[in-house]
Every structure is written in structure tokens, then in C-alpha cells.
Amino acid sequence: MAKKEEPSNPEIANVPKHIAIIMDGNGRWANEQGKPRTEGHRAGARTVRQVAEACGELGVAYLTLYAFSSENWKRPKSEIQALMTLLERFLKSQTKEMHKNNIRLQAIGRLTDLPDKCQRALHESIEQTSQNDGLTLILALNYGAREEIIDGVRSVLRHVQDGLLDPAMLDPQIFSKHLYTRYYPDPDLLIRTSGEMRISNFLLWQISYSEIVISDKFWPEFGKDDFFKAVEEYSRRQRRFGGL
Ligand code: IPE
Ligand code: IPE
Ligand code: MG
């Protein structure tokens, strides 16, 4: 029997340098299958591998994935625990593979509020992949854009107090250097799965001029082909940044 053909790596003229994704719909996908929500999260982790692979094929430089928001602590304890366990397992089982694929792992968010085990696994993976120069995969964990902006303001105030910054010099470029994302360019493309038309406190500062693509697919069923379609849609857009 013929094997299902792998979606081919399309010829895309204009590949985004940085793609950010709000990975949404794990719970609804599981619900549709009559499975517990945690199964949706497990299936979602498989999509992460697929999408990271697709980014490697296209030559995308940065991929930021919204994995756990500041507001997700509102969920039942059991779901939070399942998500944290899944994160730890993902890091432990995927680091070798990431390293082999020349992926450099990074993380943004208030990481010190994550369970100790997750923090340890995270720092180990970051350390082990730190010399890689392929795709930079950035996990947003306990991430909230408003919290990030407040942490940025605090950092600016410290610099002013220490006499390192003249408040009159503060501008968007300098402020960007006080955010968690200071080492990365702004996302060119923002993708959200599961059809929701909202930002949910993700990268509010950085997406000022990002192109947005919403997919109706739930994250666990979002395949490489859907990802390539989103990037193709991006490459057809005309970005003007307020100019002509
Ligand atoms: C996204 O899927 C994963 C996280 C937010 C951790 P959801 O868990 O939000 O799934 P839905 O949106 O309830 O279907
Ligand atoms: C956004 O999804 C957060 C992540 C994908 C981690 P949510 O499911 O938490 O967002 P809302 O509640 O639908 O806005
Ligand atoms: Mg959701």
C-alpha cells in the first residue's frame, strides 16, 4: 500500500525570520475524540516536533511557542500538574533530538515560578543546546505580555536609578532591550490555531507589526501542511509598516 505522502517542503519566496504560535485547542480536540484533556496536551506535544521540523526545512530562524500563560494557573490543579509533567518529559526526551537537529532552546516568562523539576530540566536543555546555530526554539512558559512589560519597566527604573539610563533617551528600541525577548527580532508571523480571534496576553509589544494567520484546526491536528499553508499566506501579504 502506498505510504501517505509527506507534505513537501514548498518553495516559499519570503520565509519569515521569526514565527510565533499560540498553540490552542488541545482540550477541544481531546473532547471531540472522547478523551481526557491531558490526551490533547500529549498529542499537542507531537505537533510541536512536526512544526519545529518544518521550520528547520524552511530555514526559519526563530520559533516562539506559547506553551503556558500566566493565566493558565487558573485551571484545575490536576491539569496544571499534567502540563508540567508533560513539559518535563518533553524536555528530557527531546533534548538529544533537538541537539541532533541543531536546535537551540530558549525560554521566556517568569520561569522561577515553575516547579523546580521543570526549571532544572529546562536549564539543562538550554545549556546542552546553547552552542547550536540552527533554529532557535523559544518556549513561552508562565508567560504573560503584561507581566513582561511590567518587568521591563522595573528594569528601566533600576537602570535610571543606577544612573545608567537618562529617561529622556528612552525609546521603543531601548525599551525592547528590557524585555524577555531582547535577544530576538519581533515575530514576522503570528499563528493561532483553533479559530479563536484573540491574543490572550501573548507578546503584546512584539506583535505590533506581525502578520496574523488564524487556522481553524485544533493544535493536535495542525500538520506540516497546515503550517506550510500559513507561511505561504504570509508570503503573499504586503507589509507596509505604516509606509506606502
Ligand atoms: C492549548 O490548548 C494548550 C494550553 C493552553 C496549555 P487548550 O488547553 O487551551 O485547549 P482548549 O482551548 O481548551 O481546547
Ligand atoms: C492561550 O490559550 C495560552 C496558550 C496557548 C498557552 P488559552 O486557551 O489559555 O487562551 P484563552 O483562555 O482561550 O484566551
Ligand atoms: Mg485554549
Side-chain angles (χ1 to χ4, degrees):
M1 214 166 55
K3 227 180 111 197
K4 193 173 169 253
E5 239 179 82
E6 273 274 296
S8 62
N9 168 5
E11 285 292 317
I12 293 172
N14 188 14
V15 173
K17 192 168 181 190
H18 184 173
I19 300 179
I21 307 183
I22 303 174
M23 311 184 286
D24 198 19
N26 292 353
R28 278 164 285 168
W29 176 84
N31 205 24
E32 251 189 23
Q33 316 271 312
K35 293 176 178 166
R37 290 178 58 87
T38 47
E39 277 305 310
H41 297 313
R42 203 160 298 147
R46 286 197 290 272
T47 306
V48 169
R49 290 174 56 187
Q50 296 272 305
V51 167
E53 199 178 288
C55 282
E57 287 169 25
L58 289 182
V60 172
Y62 300 88
L63 172 66
T64 301
L65 299 176
Y66 203 6
F68 194 87
S69 75
S70 314
E71 287 77 22
N72 286 147
W73 298 107
K74 291 182 196 158
R75 295 190 180 194
K77 242 189 177 160
S78 55
E79 179 164 343
I80 295 172
Q81 189 148 29
L83 280 165
M84 294 301 160
T85 305
L86 192 65
L87 169 66
E88 190 194 340
R89 287 208 192 124
F90 177 86
L91 292 166
K92 288 192 167 153
S93 65
Q94 296 305 308
T95 301
K96 251 197 191 145
E97 182 79 8
M98 287 193 271
H99 190 50
K100 209 178 78 198
N101 293 326
N102 198 19
I103 294 175
R104 176 173 72 121
L105 187 76
Q106 301 269 281
I108 55 171
R110 289 187 178 164
L111 305 177
T112 51
D113 293 336
L114 293 172
D116 288 344
K117 277 184 178 173
C118 289
Q119 289 187 52
R120 271 199 297 276
L122 191 59
H123 288 125
E124 259 170 49
S125 301
I126 290 173
E127 174 63 32
Q128 283 170 25
T129 60
S130 65
Q131 299 305 312
N132 295 335
D133 60 4
L135 173 72
T136 297
L137 172 60
I138 305 153
L139 296 181
L141 295 164
N142 188 23
Y143 176 87
R146 289 179 168 181
E147 286 73 6
E148 177 184 34
I149 290 169
I150 286 171
D151 287 345
V153 170
R154 281 204 188 102
S155 164
V156 165
L157 292 175
R158 266 195 313 273
H159 276 66
V160 170
Q161 265 169 3
D162 295 347
L164 298 169
L165 177 68
D166 172 359
M169 299 301 284
L170 187 61
D171 65 9
Q173 219 181 340
I174 292 176
F175 187 64
S176 297
K177 296 297 166 208
H178 292 267
L179 295 173
Y180 308 151
T181 50
R182 58 182 155 278
Y183 305 117
Y184 323 123
D186 287 343
D188 302 292
L189 168 62
L190 172 71
I191 299 173
R192 181 165 188 151
T193 56
S194 93
E196 297 307 349
M197 301 281 183
R198 56 177 173 261
I199 301 298
S200 304
N201 202 15
F202 190 42
L203 300 176
L204 294 177
W205 172 275
Q206 298 87 341
I207 59 170
S208 291
Y209 268 103
S210 305
E211 293 297 323
I212 301 176
V213 173
I214 307 284
S215 165
D216 283 330
K217 295 258 182 96
F218 295 135
W219 179 249
E221 63 188 6
F222 185 78
K224 266 189 175 182
D225 47 346
D226 299 303
F227 177 76
F228 289 141
K229 248 193 280 172
V231 177
E232 271 170 341
E233 184 173 336
Y234 163 86
S235 76
R236 286 192 299 270
R237 302 263 179 98
Q238 210 201 340
R239 302 178 78 187
R240 284 189 285 273
F241 300 98
L244 293 178

